[in-house]
Amino acid sequence: MDYYTNLLQSSASFGEALAWTVIRPLQEPLSLQSAASRLIGGGHPPIVDADEEFIEEVESLNGRAVYIGQSGDATMLLEPDGFSYAAGSHVMAWLSQEAQVWHLSWNHTGRRVLEYAANGQWLAGIAELNPHAIYGADPAALQAEAAAMEEVVNAPWPTQQATALAIIELRTGAQLPRDWFDQPRQVAIVEPLISKDCPPIGLWHYEPDLDARLRLAPQESRSAVLLQLVDVLTNRFHLDMPATTRARQAAHSGLPLDADLLEDVGAEWESLGHQWADRGFAVREENDDAWRRWVAANAVRHSLQSLSEGSTYLDALTYGKFALDEEWPDNRTWIREIISRIP
């Protein structure tokens, strides 16, 4: 515990606010890409390299930036402002598939919490690091940890936080390094959510058979599906914006989609959701037509991005399903027809 006491006393980065989530796999270690995918329920969030010049951009993302790294067999997620996306009970459940997940956070609001999930279920938390404030479906899961917190219940700052950090290290083998922000790190970028409920992005949650067939289909079949989805959504939601149109034409011509063009497509999508930009999530009930158009534009963006990377990722189909809503079954039909064709 002395290590963490000294860390918090000597580092403004960690002392004022922190959200630390550690995934301890039950079998093989998770890759950073796999951990990032679990963050959004099976989708593929972009991972970017963060250096000193990136700090301001990270801060402008309103808590949507999640630093990721390895510590032994464990995978660590760090959110420096203490307002944690990863701490959502549904997110911890996704992260904890065939794993334990331990989370600790505090921030300037005074909120402090230690939480635990395992094998796909959020199980328990200790509110305010108060050993008498255990809550959740299985409070007994944190009984030993609460006993450890009982010993420091009246201790001065930062003893309680340092004890909780030491508990996570003991349970996972991961240590929060003192120089975390002194070297380049990778950051998973979580996009604005299509609803406050944070639905998972992995297609298999909604279409298990279709997802399996698409994954097993040849690349040219997946590419044909993604390209037709672009056409359907562009026409249905009038997404004939300049960059989107150029990218669509390039994709139909078999031309490469360069990063600058895809960035412009992303900017057009962002502009459609400006009314929700400051929240981090959209509210469909405020404007159903605008919401569906914004989600459709994201599906088009993801389709084009996937087409540029071998048509591997299927996030676009999930966004397309939400945008098309009651029209989705008819579109599922043509998707099945494409992937069932025998070469």
Side-chain angles (χ1 to χ4, degrees), residues 1 65 141 146 150 170 254 282 297 340:
M1 191 180 76
E150 179 74 48
L170 179 64
S340 64

Side-chain angles (χ1 to χ4, degrees), residues 20-317:
W20 188 37
T21 306
V22 181
I23 307 167
R24 183 185 183 185
L26 301 182
Q27 298 182 24
E28 297 298 318
L30 279 181
S31 68
L32 298 187
Q33 182 62 61
S34 294
S37 178
R38 291 187 181 197
L39 267 175
I40 61 171
H44 294 81
I47 297 178
V48 299
D49 292 322
D51 53 24
E52 292 181 359
E53 296 179 355
F54 189 73
I55 292 176
E56 290 185 4
E57 184 175 348
V58 168
E59 291 177 345
S60 73
L61 290 170
N62 298 319
R64 294 185 287 112
V66 182
Y67 287 81
I68 53 179
Q70 301 286 159
S71 180
D73 290 339
T75 302
M76 304 195 306
L77 312 174
L78 199 69
E79 297 163 274
D81 63 2
F83 292 92
S84 181
Y85 166 83
S89 58
H90 50 288
V91 179
M92 287 187 66
W94 297 336
L95 293 172
S96 70
Q97 295 293 330
E98 296 190 347
Q100 289 182 321
V101 173
W102 296 83
H103 170 84
L104 172 67
S105 61
W106 61 84
N107 56 52
H108 65 74
T109 67
R111 182 180 187 271
R112 302 175 297 164
V113 66
L114 175 67
E115 297 180 276
Y116 173 63
N119 278 319
Q121 297 185 59
W122 182 92
L123 296 174
I126 302 177
E128 306 307 323
L129 303 183
N130 179 348
H132 305 292
I134 304 180
Y135 62 101
D138 186 10
L142 289 180
Q143 186 173 356
E145 291 71 25
M149 296 305 302
E150 179 74 48
E151 296 181 6
V152 296
V153 68
N154 294 315
W157 182 90
T159 304
Q160 289 182 321
Q161 285 92 330
T163 300
L165 289 166
I167 286 172
I168 292 181
E169 179 175 338
L170 179 64
R171 296 293 185 248
T172 65
Q175 184 178 79
L176 184 60
R178 186 181 299 273
D179 63 348
W180 178 271
F181 292 114
D182 295 337
Q183 52 187 295
R185 292 288 178 186
Q186 290 190 298
V187 179
I189 305 299
V190 178
E191 297 176 353
L193 307 177
I194 62 175
S195 77
K196 191 176 183 179
D197 295 337
C198 189
I201 302 304
L203 182 62
W204 70 81
H205 291 280
Y206 314 98
E207 297 282 355
D209 176 63
L210 190 64
D211 176 86
R213 292 178 185 273
L214 279 163
R215 290 178 185 277
L216 293 172
Q219 178 181 336
E220 54 266 31
S221 296
R222 294 195 304 273
S223 296
V225 167
L226 291 169
L227 191 53
Q228 185 154 332
L229 183 66
V230 169
D231 291 343
V232 167
L233 295 173
T234 299
N235 293 328
R236 169 65 179 80
F237 294 99
H238 308 291
L239 298 173
D240 48 353
M241 299 169 287
T244 299
T245 298
R246 294 197 305 274
R248 180 186 177 194
Q249 291 171 343
H252 272 287
S253 301
L255 300 175
L257 300 170
D258 63 68
D260 289 340
L261 178 57
L262 291 173
E263 186 174 338
D264 291 341
V265 171
E268 290 177 340
W269 159 68
E270 288 180 358
S271 70
L272 295 179
H274 64 88
Q275 67 195 88
W276 301 299
D278 294 335
R279 300 186 201 172
F281 63 89
V283 181
R284 180 175 184 172
E285 292 75 14
E286 291 180 353
N287 189 327
D288 185 77
D289 290 340
W291 182 88
R292 292 180 66 184
R293 190 167 185 244
W294 175 68
V295 175
N298 203 20
V300 168
R301 180 177 74 98
H302 277 282
S303 293
L304 294 168
Q305 183 69 51
S306 186
L307 284 164
S308 73
E309 299 177 10
S311 302
T312 302
Y313 306 135
L314 304 177
D315 300 34
L317 277 296

